[in-house]
Amino acid sequence: MDMHGNGCSRRRFLAAAAALPVMGLVACDSGGGPVPSSGPVVSGTSQAALPSVGGSTSADSYYPSHGNGGYRVSHYALDLHYTPDTGVLVASALITATASQPLSGFSLDLHELDVTEVRVADVPAGFARDKRKLYVRLVRPLAAEERFEVLVRYSGRPGPVRMPWGERTGWERSRDRVVVASQPLGGPSWFPCNDHPSDKAGYRIDVTVPESYQVAANGVLAGTRRESGMTTWSYSHPGPMASYLATVNIGRFTFADQAGSRVPLRNAYPPGAAEEFAHDFGRQPEIMNLFERLFGPYPFEVYGAVIVDSDLQAPLETQTFSLFGVDQLDGKRGKERYVAHELAHQWFGNSVTVADWQHIWLNEGFATYAEWLWSEHSGGRSADDHAARTWSTLSRSAKGIRIGDPGQRNMFDDRVYVRGALTLHALRRTVGDDAFFDVLRSWSQDHRGRNVTTDRFVAHAERRTRSALRPLFQSWLFTEGLPDLPPPR
Ligand SMILES: [Zn+2]
């Protein structure tokens, strides 16, 4: 995949990844025999009165093989024991979910790892594996709306999930360290999940590592516990969070709080990087304050940046703890736009999340526009200037792109980012600053913690501005040709 320059999603270790174990289909029968896939059934309610197997696909436009039907997850409690020397993970996941239809079985996304036990309501359940899914067969069927707990014990040497065109997402090991950057498909590389952004949940992530290592994961560090040369790091995040935004980073970190914002800020960076971090990320509180003013209250309980001691090709907006590589530190604030970009995603992408990957411009266009807003605010180029330059560059490219439905291959194409930002600038020029920022604020506040579509955004903007905006969005989002920017007001 072509790399874009805007962050989020195409970040990889430059070091070689760990070798992956190879698994075929493994059927295990500890309670009722293997369960076949039920075919292309989508999530959601079912009219069927009799219990049936929930779907093993989602209805996603780009990644239907990720995601599962028949239930919704409300909480993941992950207990990970990791040995850095060998790369072996021994883990359990306690998943709390609610059946959305009468269920005789269901599936979870889990990439290659070995499953040793599945229990539902503390009773052993039958299960079967293929390379990507864990199929669970229930001893006692579940009624629609019944809440249940499933415990999965699993182990192995996690490695990234390969995208259809060869890119890798998810758990990556480099030397003795681990970085997890999962957008869009890497969640199942390290825990069983309903891997679709429309099923968001709360998380508890406990990670036990040798005491010379530190761990940075989503949410608040609830505590650490030392025993026999090992330390257990317990993180808690009520979310709701999509599986692609969950992260665990294992290595050597210095943790430091940062003052200057209403929101608690805690950061993690490699020992020895304190000075560069203090300079390059020094305006993070100021960016937070600007975005709270423009977008409404920060949607989560804590924020910060985790800098891993590896070169990543791009940062990622992992929830509450955005992920950067040491290549983002240059001592010159040369990458500050990424600091703004990933922070903006906490509103646009993480709190307000796409219901389908097709709507990715709602993440990337907004975060890119936030870079321009920070630039404008901090004495750099104005948004008008960014827009004019970007428009000029795009107008010279041979072929445009329909960013409202860019296709799986182009999801993270740079044009989705910059034309998305231009779309917002076109809206701003059309309705004026007051109405425009009202649309942004109310969009993030009205849909906080929820899932959204492009159609919903268009309807929202029309309602808030009392303007007919559909033709504007149609031309910017669903045609290849580049529309002219409306004149400045
Ligand atoms: Zn982004």
Side-chain angles (χ1 to χ4, degrees):
M1 161 177 263
D2 295 334
M3 302 300 155
H4 62 70
N6 288 48
C8 313
S9 169
R10 300 284 75 85
R11 73 227 64 80
R12 297 294 160 252
F13 280 117
L14 298 181
L20 294 178
V22 178
M23 289 184 64
L25 178 69
V26 180
C28 308
D29 193 356
S30 62
V35 182
S37 163
S38 66
V41 180
V42 300
S43 61
T45 55
S46 164
Q47 305 300 317
L50 292 174
S52 59
V53 179
S56 58
T57 71
S58 66
D60 193 80
S61 304
Y62 297 167
Y63 299 110
S65 67
H66 280 243
N68 306 277
Y71 65 92
R72 296 186 65 80
V73 177
S74 56
H75 194 262
Y76 294 92
L78 309 178
D79 187 10
L80 313 176
H81 295 250
Y82 184 68
T83 306
D85 289 348
T86 60
V88 171
L89 176 71
V90 178
S92 69
L94 181 63
I95 300 166
T96 307
T98 301
S100 49
Q101 65 179 69
L103 281 177
S104 60
F106 59 91
S107 55
L108 289 155
D109 298 293
L110 182 63
H111 183 68
E112 296 198 335
L113 295 163
D114 294 318
V115 173
T116 51
E117 184 181 19
V118 178
R119 300 176 78 88
V120 177
D122 212 21
V123 174
F127 62 93
R129 288 286 283 135
D130 62 22
K131 188 177 171 182
R132 296 184 310 201
K133 297 274 182 181
L134 168 65
Y135 303 99
V136 178
R137 180 171 180 168
L138 295 161
V139 174
R140 179 185 68 77
L142 292 163
E145 301 309 316
E146 187 173 347
R147 189 179 158 98
F148 63 100
E149 286 187 342
V150 53
L151 175 71
V152 180
R153 294 190 195 282
Y154 61 102
S155 62
R157 294 180 68 214
V161 174
R162 284 193 184 276
M163 305 274 284
W165 50 89
E167 282 289 314
R168 309 187 304 267
T169 61
W171 184 289
E172 293 247 21
R173 180 183 178 220
S174 173
R175 305 189 299 275
D176 59 342
R177 297 170 210 146
V178 170
V179 174
V180 175
S182 292
Q183 191 184 38
L185 302 179
S189 69
W190 62 288
F191 69 105
C193 54
N194 191 14
D195 190 37
H196 193 266
S198 64
D199 195 5
K200 303 201 284 185
Y203 283 73
R204 181 176 174 107
I205 304 174
D206 286 2
V207 186
T208 301
V209 290
E211 61 187 6
S212 57
Y213 290 82
Q214 288 84 42
V215 176
N218 310 91
V220 169
L221 179 63
T224 56
R225 194 176 67 250
R226 284 194 176 195
E227 194 176 329
S228 306
M230 307 292 281
T231 306
T232 300
W233 298 71
S234 298
Y235 281 87
S236 178
H237 179 45
M241 177 166 75
S243 48
Y244 80 90
L245 294 165
T247 191
V248 164
N249 302 287
I250 300 170
R252 267 76 176 202
F253 295 108
T254 297
F255 292 85
D257 293 340
Q258 194 173 23
S261 133
R262 183 192 68 83
V263 177
L265 294 174
R266 50 86 178 92
N267 303 293
Y269 44 79
E275 202 172 317
E276 274 191 320
F277 181 87
H279 181 265
D280 290 349
F281 284 72
R283 299 203 287 188
Q284 194 168 243
E286 206 182 319
I287 302 173
M288 174 67 85
N289 295 340
L290 174 69
F291 288 176
E292 283 212 290
R293 186 158 62 75
L294 296 180
F295 308 149
Y298 175 75
F300 305 115
E301 71 281 10
V302 67
Y303 185 66
V306 52
I307 319 292
V308 297
D309 192 12
S310 298
D311 288 349
L312 304 186
Q313 287 174 0
L316 181 66
E317 65 271 23
T318 39
Q319 196 154 308
T320 72
F321 223 160
S322 289
L323 178 61
F324 300 82
V326 282
D327 49 328
Q328 301 298 312
L329 296 176
D330 63 3
K332 302 178 198 161
R333 289 193 180 137
K335 308 290 178 68
E336 193 179 57
R337 67 190 186 96
Y338 296 113
V339 181
H341 183 109
E342 308 313 332
L343 175 53
H345 269 312
Q346 306 299 316
W347 283 264
F348 305 113
N350 298 9
S351 170
V352 181
T353 306
V354 293
D356 184 296
W357 286 116
Q358 170 189 329
H359 310 297
I360 187 66
W361 88 276
L362 291 172
N363 291 13
E364 302 307 346
F366 282 58
T368 303
Y369 197 67
E371 295 176 30
W372 298 0
L373 293 172
W374 168 246
S375 168
E376 185 167 81
H377 175 83
S378 60
R381 280 189 200 137
S382 67
D384 264 334
D385 192 12
H386 278 287
R389 288 164 183 256
T390 302
W391 190 94
S392 175
T393 303
L394 275 185
S395 70
R396 291 195 294 272
S397 54
K399 193 165 161 56
I401 187 170
R402 298 168 70 249
I403 64 168
D405 186 7
Q408 187 197 78
R409 184 77 167 80
N410 290 327
M411 255 179 84
F412 299 105
D413 187 290
D414 195 52
R415 291 169 293 180
V416 173
Y417 291 63
V418 296
R419 184 162 167 162
L422 279 177
T423 302
L424 292 176
H425 199 65
L427 174 65
R428 184 177 175 182
R429 283 195 176 172
T430 302
V431 303
D433 277 13
D434 289 350
F436 173 72
F437 286 107
D438 172 72
V439 167
L440 288 195
R441 252 191 316 275
S442 55
W443 174 245
S444 76
Q445 298 309 300
D446 292 358
H447 303 90
R448 182 173 175 159
R450 295 168 60 189
N451 290 92
V452 293
T453 62
T454 296
D455 226 32
R456 185 177 285 264
F457 178 70
V458 172
H460 178 86
E462 286 197 316
R463 194 168 58 249
R464 295 298 294 202
T465 62
R466 297 188 179 134
S467 308
L469 297 169
R470 215 157 270 277
L472 174 88
F473 285 114
Q474 177 65 31
S475 65
W476 279 95
L477 301 176
F478 296 106
T479 66
E480 289 186 1
L482 184 66
D484 288 331
L485 275 170
R489 287 166 69 94

